[in-house]
Amino acid sequence: MVVLHPHIYWSQTNSSVSLRVDLHSAENVIVEYDKQSVSVFASIDHDTKKEYAFSLELAEEIDSPSCKHRVTPRCIDITLAKHSDKNEFWSRLTASAEKLPWLHVDFDKFRSGDDDTSTDDEDEREGGINDFKSHDIPDNVMDRFKTKRRNAPPAEFAKMYLF
């Protein structure tokens, strides 16, 4: 029987690395943690019995006893606790520089080291739409906007296009 590789999505924080193994209805899940590696074996028992497995040699050390996993109907969530001496962002997940086709960055959860070090000045410069002030607009532009608004048709006559 051929052993397949599942798609794996990874992200990190200062203290942990998260792996999401994309396997639906996984059974017989075995997760093994070593000082610098993690191995997973799982099977899916539908019409054809398929086996999935992978092993990752990690770039940095992990705290094996603090690592945990959770099996859900959609995936296997694995949380790897970074070694307590090295609570910093990893530049890569694997020890080798080789690109693995089944390993992807989880951009929904991913945070880089730059995200946590934002200063108050940066937060003030990145103001959202609610921070917009009308005195920031030149007078001639504001006058044109007010004139267009006065001459605009009432809302009940507005055209709408549905595609």
Side-chain angles (χ1 to χ4, degrees):
M1 182 173 285
V2 176
V3 178
L4 306 170
H5 282 280
H7 285 278
I8 302 167
Y9 300 90
W10 79 283
S11 63
Q12 66 177 321
T13 63
N14 278 336
S15 60
S16 67
V17 174
S18 298
L19 300 175
R20 180 172 47 96
V21 183
D22 193 20
L23 282 178
H24 297 276
S25 306
E27 298 175 348
N28 305 325
V29 177
I30 300 170
V31 181
E32 295 176 354
Y33 309 103
D34 194 16
K35 192 173 189 179
Q36 211 162 355
S37 68
V38 61
S39 301
V40 175
F41 174 83
S43 63
I44 296 179
D45 190 17
H46 294 299
D47 296 336
T48 61
K49 192 169 185 114
K50 295 182 180 178
E51 293 180 346
Y52 291 87
F54 71 91
S55 181
L56 288 174
E57 294 296 321
L58 303 173
E60 302 286 334
E61 291 183 3
I62 57 173
D63 186 17
S64 301
S66 301
C67 297
K68 55 188 172 186
H69 69 278
R70 180 177 61 128
V71 179
T72 65
R74 290 187 64 119
C75 63
I76 303 168
D77 290 321
I78 301 171
T79 303
L80 305 174
K82 293 181 180 179
H83 197 272
S84 60
D85 295 341
K86 299 180 181 180
N87 279 342
E88 58 189 27
F89 278 83
W90 295 356
S91 59
R92 63 175 350 113
L93 178 65
T94 60
S96 68
E98 178 185 355
K99 169 79 171 108
L100 301 173
W102 40 269
L103 183 63
H104 314 283
V105 174
D106 191 354
F107 286 107
D108 293 336
K109 295 182 186 176
F110 191 83
R111 294 182 58 135
S112 67
D114 300 335
D115 291 344
D116 289 343
T117 59
S118 65
T119 61
D120 293 336
D121 296 337
E122 289 176 355
D123 294 338
E124 289 175 9
R125 277 188 275 133
E126 294 177 5
I129 189 99
N130 295 332
D131 296 337
F132 181 73
K133 297 181 179 48
S134 63
H135 62 77
D136 294 338
I137 301 174
D139 290 334
N140 60 348
V141 175
M142 197 64 176
D143 290 340
R144 283 192 307 212
F145 175 73
K146 288 179 182 176
T147 304
K148 283 185 178 179
R149 214 164 159 193
R150 242 180 283 141
N151 297 336
E156 65 247 15
F157 295 115
K159 291 182 182 179
M160 294 182 68
Y161 298 97
L162 299 175
F163 295 99

